[in-house]
């Protein structure tokens, strides 16, 4: 018998690497709203579809309008979409 203890090594657990979020940054003008909003949302939808992400076009538009409501300065609005369809919006003055 060998005096060395047996060492069991597990194969490393392989999990698919998390898919990075998708984001889009848009210009916001207090008088005009978000420039080219529908084309930005369409592009985001196409990216989401290609990546297998859930995306609610109507909810995204509503969330962006709510996030920019009452803003009085030119800004950028960044929408980040996760694979589950969860959205985060950041609005920054420029």
């Amino acid at each position: 018998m060998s005096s060395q203890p047996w060492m069991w090594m597990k194969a490393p657990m392989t999990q698919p690497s998390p898919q990075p979020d998708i984001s889009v940054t848009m210009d916001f003008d207090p008088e005009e709203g978000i420039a080219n909003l529908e084309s930005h949302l369409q592009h985001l939808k196409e990216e989401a579809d290609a990546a297998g992400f859930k995306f609610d076009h109507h909810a995204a538009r509503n969330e962006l309008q709510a996030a920019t409501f009452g803003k009085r300065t030119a800004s950028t609005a960044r929408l980040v979409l996760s694979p589950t369809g969860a959205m985060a919006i950041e609005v920054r003055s420029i």
Side-chain angles (χ1 to χ4, degrees), residues 10-89:
K10 283 177 130 179
M13 292 180 63
T14 56
Q15 294 180 342
S17 58
Q19 210 166 2
D21 296 336
I22 298 171
S23 69
V24 61
T25 303
M26 301 157 274
D27 292 327
F28 170 78
D29 177 88
E31 297 296 320
E32 301 294 323
I34 295 175
N36 304 310
L37 176 60
E38 288 305 316
S39 64
H40 283 297
L41 292 178
Q42 182 59 36
H43 180 73
L44 187 59
K45 180 184 179 343
E46 290 167 5
E47 281 191 61
D49 288 348
F53 283 30
K54 294 180 182 178
F55 178 65
D56 184 333
H57 184 107
H58 182 74
R61 184 176 52 246
N62 289 347
E63 291 295 327
L64 284 163
Q65 288 176 342
T68 56
F69 181 79
K71 298 287 182 198
R72 305 249 184 255
T73 59
S75 305
T76 57
R78 181 172 179 249
L79 185 148
V80 180
L81 179 69
S82 77
T84 64
M87 291 178 269
I89 297 173

